[in-house]
């Protein structure tokens, strides 16, 4: 089978650059940018390729990885909206703040993440969401619907009847007994009108439409028709 070109592999890395204090190099943060990987651009196009996405140092930006991957790393994001489609491996989220992240993955690890919301599809029965030195994290069920998502779930091995174990969370750095918990689970029944976020892809633009059920033509979610939470 074909493999991604060198230019495609290079495009799997996006963002600015971290500070290097020892060399007196300041951070370079991209602001107001949009990173998009469309459906059928990653593992659905190259099923045998080991595809890893690395996004770092973005602010006030949108990140949409709308295809199957094996690994994703997000670091140094501030006030960003992120959607990560099915990842058959792990998603590592580090040093992010004030972000809203929809992520479907076998394992999701947060380190030094603050004041953010995680919207999770977790297909395994163990603790798929792992926190470390993170605080003020709201966790709710996966909310995204977009074209070809059903086929992507199938490719990831999450076929019909897959259960979303989004509420299984393990905190490596639990607070002291008198302190507030580092995370809280969001009751979906209190947010029925905004349960789903439909992504409509028009060229290089992604529009998000909030609704009680996915209804935009071509948008799909394999757990939308039933209580998958």
């Amino acid at each position: 089978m074909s493999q991604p070109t060198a230019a495609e592999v290079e495009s799997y890395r996006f963002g600015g650059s971290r500070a290097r204090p020892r060399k007196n190099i300041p951070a370079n943060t991209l602001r107001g940018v949009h990173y998009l990987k469309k459906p059928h651009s990653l593992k659905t196009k190259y099923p045998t390729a080991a595809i890893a996405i690395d996004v770092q140092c973005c602010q006030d930006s949108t990140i949409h990885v709308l295809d199957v991957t094996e690994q994703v790393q997000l670091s140094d994001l501030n006030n960003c909206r992120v959607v990560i489609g099915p990842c058959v491996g792990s998603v590592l989220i580090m040093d992010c703040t004030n972000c809203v992240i929809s992520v479907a993955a076998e394992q999701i690890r947060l380190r030094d993440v603050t004041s953010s919301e995680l919207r999770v599809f977790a297909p395994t029965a163990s603790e798929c969401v792992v926190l470390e030195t993170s605080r003020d994290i709201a966790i709710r069920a996966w909310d995204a619907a977009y074209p070809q998502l059903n086929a992507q779930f199938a490719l990831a091995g999450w076929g019909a009847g897959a259960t979303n174990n989004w509420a299984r969370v393990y905190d490596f750095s639990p607070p002291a007994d008198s302190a507030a918990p580092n995370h809280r689970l969001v009751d979906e029944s209190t947010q029925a009108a905004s349960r789903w976020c439909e992504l409509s892809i028009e060229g290089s633009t992604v529009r998000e439409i909030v609704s009680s059920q996915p209804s935009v033509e071509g948008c799909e979610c394999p757990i939308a028709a039933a209580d998958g939470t």
Side-chain angles (χ1 to χ4, degrees), residues 6-18 30 35 37 51-56 58 73 75:
E8 286 177 306
V9 172
E10 180 66 23
S11 74
Y12 301 162
R13 298 177 60 88
F14 179 80
S17 56
R18 291 186 169 192
L30 300 187
Y35 178 66
K37 285 299 178 183
I51 293 178
I53 301 292
D54 185 355
V55 179
Q56 67 175 13
C58 295
Q73 180 168 299
S75 54

Side-chain angles (χ1 to χ4, degrees), residues 18 29 55-59 74-78 94-96:
R18 291 186 169 192
T29 300
V55 179
Q56 67 175 13
C57 299
C58 295
Q59 181 174 330
L74 307 172
S75 54
D76 289 285
L77 305 184
N78 180 21
M94 304 183 298
D95 302 307
C96 297

Side-chain angles (χ1 to χ4, degrees), residues 104-147:
E106 291 286 343
Q107 187 177 72
I108 303 157
R109 302 183 67 92
L110 278 67
R111 190 176 71 200
D112 298 322
V113 178
T114 59
S115 303
S116 295
E117 180 171 287
L118 208 61
R119 302 172 180 179
V120 173
F121 184 85
T124 60
S126 60
E127 285 82 1
C128 294
V129 182
V130 179
L131 308 182
E132 183 177 354
T133 55
S134 297
R135 59 182 176 80
D136 189 23
I137 307 298
I139 300 176
R140 56 177 281 195
W142 169 263
D143 67 326
Y146 59 84

Side-chain angles (χ1 to χ4, degrees), residues 8-73:
E8 286 177 306
V9 172
E10 180 66 23
S11 74
Y12 301 162
R13 298 177 60 88
F14 179 80
S17 56
R18 291 186 169 192
R20 302 173 67 184
R22 292 183 180 180
K23 295 190 175 182
N24 200 31
I25 298 176
N28 173 32
T29 300
L30 300 187
R31 290 173 169 81
V33 295
H34 180 210
Y35 178 66
L36 170 62
K37 285 299 178 183
K38 295 182 179 181
H40 197 63
S41 65
L42 301 173
K43 281 192 75 67
T44 56
K45 184 177 182 181
Y46 304 110
T48 63
I51 293 178
I53 301 292
D54 185 355
V55 179
Q56 67 175 13
C57 299
C58 295
Q59 181 174 330
D60 304 324
S61 300
T62 55
I63 312 297
H64 291 104
V65 180
L66 307 182
D67 202 353
V68 184
T69 56
E70 287 191 345
Q71 182 176 322
V72 177
Q73 180 168 299

Side-chain angles (χ1 to χ4, degrees), residues 121 142-150 153 195-197 213-214 218-226:
F121 184 85
W142 169 263
D143 67 326
Y146 59 84
Q148 302 182 33
L149 184 59
N150 277 331
F153 266 54
R195 173 65 181 89
W196 294 100
C197 181
Q213 286 289 338
C219 286
E220 307 166 340
C221 185
I223 59 172

